[in-house]
Amino acid sequence: MGRIRGLMRRADTQERLLVAVACMAPRLLRDSAWRTQRTRQGDGLGVLLVPGFGCGDSTLTLTRSWLRARGYRPACARTGLNMGCTTTLADRIERRLQGHAEATGRRVVLLGQSRGGWLARLVALRRPDLVRGLVMVGSPVLDPLGVSPKAVRFARFLTRLSTWGVPGLLDGDCFTGGCYDTHSAALAEPLPHGMPALAVYSRLDRVAPWRLCQDPSAECVEIRSSHTGMALHPDFYRTLEPRLATWAATETAPVA
C-alpha cells in the first residue's frame, strides 16, 4: 500500500504541474493564433487527440476548442492517464480512430503529444487507410526510452506495480520483451508514402531530447517551448494551422 500511495502522490504532483503550466493559457488566448477564427477551414475533418504520458484528455482541452473554432471535428483517444501497456493503448487508439473515421465519413488526423505522438505513429502504420495526416508534439519517436532519466524511473516503477497486481499499468514486456521489440521496430519504419506528417520539437525540452523528436518521415519544425507547455504555445498553433488547412482542403477519400 505504501508503494501505491507513493504512486498517487507522484500523480498528484504531476497534476499540480499541469495546473501550473495552465497559467500559460492566458497568453495563448490573447494571441492572434487563437483569436483569429476561420469556422469553415476544417470542413468537418476529424482529428483524434492523444495526450502524453501521465496525462488525461483534459490536458488537450484548449486544442480541442481551437480545432472546433476552425471547423474540425476533434475527438479524445480515451487513453486514461496514458500509463498502460503500449499494445493495449495502441489497440484502444485504433478502435477510436476507426469509430471517428466512421462518424466523419473520411480519414482522420492523428495528433499526439509526447508518448501520445509515438503511439499515434504506431497506429498510423497499422491503419494508413484511416489516417489523413499525423502530428507529433514533443514525441521521442527515435527512442522512447531516451527521455529524461526521471521519466524512465517512474515508468519502471509502474512496471513493478503491475507485477504486484495493480491493473492498467505498463509491464516489463514494454521495456525489454516482445512488446518492446515489436514497437521499436515499428517506430523505425518509414511512414507510408503520401501520408503527411508534422513533428514539432523544442531545444528547450527537458523531457524528450529534441534530436529524438526529429522523425525522418515528417516535416520537423522547431518552436521555443517547454515539453509540457507545447500545446499551450501560440507558435504551435501557428505551425499547425496551415498544415491542417491544406490536409482538410485536399481530403477527398471517403472511408470504405
Side-chain angles (χ1 to χ4, degrees), residues 149-234:
K150 183 177 180 181
V152 173
R153 285 196 299 271
F154 180 57
R156 290 191 181 278
F157 172 70
L158 295 179
T159 68
R160 292 198 296 273
L161 288 179
S162 182
T163 63
W164 298 336
V166 180
L169 302 177
L170 284 162
D171 59 40
D173 198 44
C174 291
F175 279 91
T176 57
C179 178
Y180 172 79
D181 292 340
T182 297
H183 295 123
S184 293
L187 286 173
E189 293 180 19
L191 290 170
H193 178 71
M195 180 185 293
L198 171 67
V200 179
Y201 69 93
S202 173
R203 294 173 192 256
L204 303 179
D205 192 330
R206 295 188 178 183
V207 176
W210 65 273
R211 290 182 178 85
L212 299 183
C213 301
Q214 294 192 309
D215 191 322
S217 293
E219 177 190 5
C220 300
V221 178
E222 179 181 3
I223 64 174
R224 293 184 58 80
S225 169
S226 67
H227 180 76
T228 313
M230 285 190 186
L232 295 167
H233 200 290

Side-chain angles (χ1 to χ4, degrees), residues 48 91-106 108 110 123 127 129-131 255-256:
L48 186 65
D91 290 346
R92 186 178 304 170
I93 295 166
E94 183 179 350
R95 290 193 297 271
R96 290 289 292 159
L97 172 65
Q98 174 80 48
H100 203 37
E102 291 173 354
T104 59
R106 292 186 292 174
V108 172
L110 284 168
V123 175
R127 298 300 308 271
D129 57 310
L130 298 180
V131 178
V255 173

